[in-house]
Amino acid sequence: MRSAPTITSLLAVCVLCCACEPDPPPAEVELPRVDDPILEAQCPEGTHGYGGEPPVAYLLECRRPDGTPHGTSRTWFPDGRRQRLGQFHEGQRTGSWTDFHRNGKKKSEGRYADDLRDGVWTFWHKSGRLEERTWFRAGQIETWDHKS
């Protein structure tokens, strides 16, 4: 395990962690309300399901009446394969989040606290082979272990 990565490796991790991961959709996005009792049961009190599953829509999440994401959030690629699974709390990413490559294999997995990466994050190549593990504290890289 390395505790003092070089500037080149930090830039590579920054590109991997930040540039490749699109931000969650803004709360202002107009999504149709979903009339799905299963999703509604997963949504916290005071929220409703919005969006839909492919081919109707590619984002399904719980939102407050003002549009703030709060609760379960799922996105899909245009071909219908899952892209991301996670949770929001008052518009901020929280808890476990998992991203997938277009081929269905995991891309990254880790936790958010107050909308910042926190704890160990694991990244995989498209082939499914482990790429690296990175440890974050409040969004800042503490250390990392590059596998390939």
Side-chain angles (χ1 to χ4, degrees):
M1 189 176 301
R2 297 179 186 137
S3 59
T6 65
I7 194 71
T8 304
S9 60
L10 282 176
L11 288 173
V13 170
C14 184
V15 168
L16 173 69
C17 296
C18 304
C20 298
E21 181 179 341
D23 289 331
E28 305 85 46
V29 171
E30 289 283 333
L31 293 172
R33 184 169 167 181
V34 177
D35 189 20
D36 179 346
I38 294 172
L39 177 63
E40 290 294 322
Q42 296 174 6
C43 289
E45 188 174 335
T47 66
H48 295 286
Y50 285 86
E53 295 182 359
V56 176
Y58 301 96
L59 169 66
L60 184 61
E61 68 185 12
C62 302
R63 290 187 173 196
R64 295 214 176 273
D66 68 359
T68 301
H70 185 74
T72 300
S73 178
R74 291 177 258 177
T75 60
W76 291 267
F77 289 109
D79 66 3
R81 292 178 191 240
R82 63 187 170 179
Q83 181 181 26
R84 178 174 290 153
L85 304 171
Q87 297 278 323
F88 282 97
H89 179 77
E90 302 298 345
Q92 294 190 336
R93 291 170 288 190
T94 190
S96 295
W97 280 73
T98 305
D99 286 301
F100 298 88
H101 289 286
R102 287 188 176 272
N103 66 8
K105 295 187 184 283
K106 281 186 183 179
K107 179 178 181 180
S108 66
E109 185 172 63
R111 297 186 61 77
Y112 280 94
D114 298 323
D115 212 33
L116 299 171
R117 287 183 174 174
D118 201 59
V120 65
W121 275 75
T122 306
F123 300 90
W124 292 271
H125 291 281
K126 289 180 184 178
S127 67
R129 185 171 43 97
L130 179 64
E131 184 172 356
E132 71 180 70
R133 284 194 177 92
T134 305
W135 285 260
F136 290 87
R137 181 171 297 175
Q140 301 296 313
I141 295 173
E142 287 195 319
T143 186
W144 64 289
D145 186 13
H146 190 71
K147 298 293 181 188
S148 59

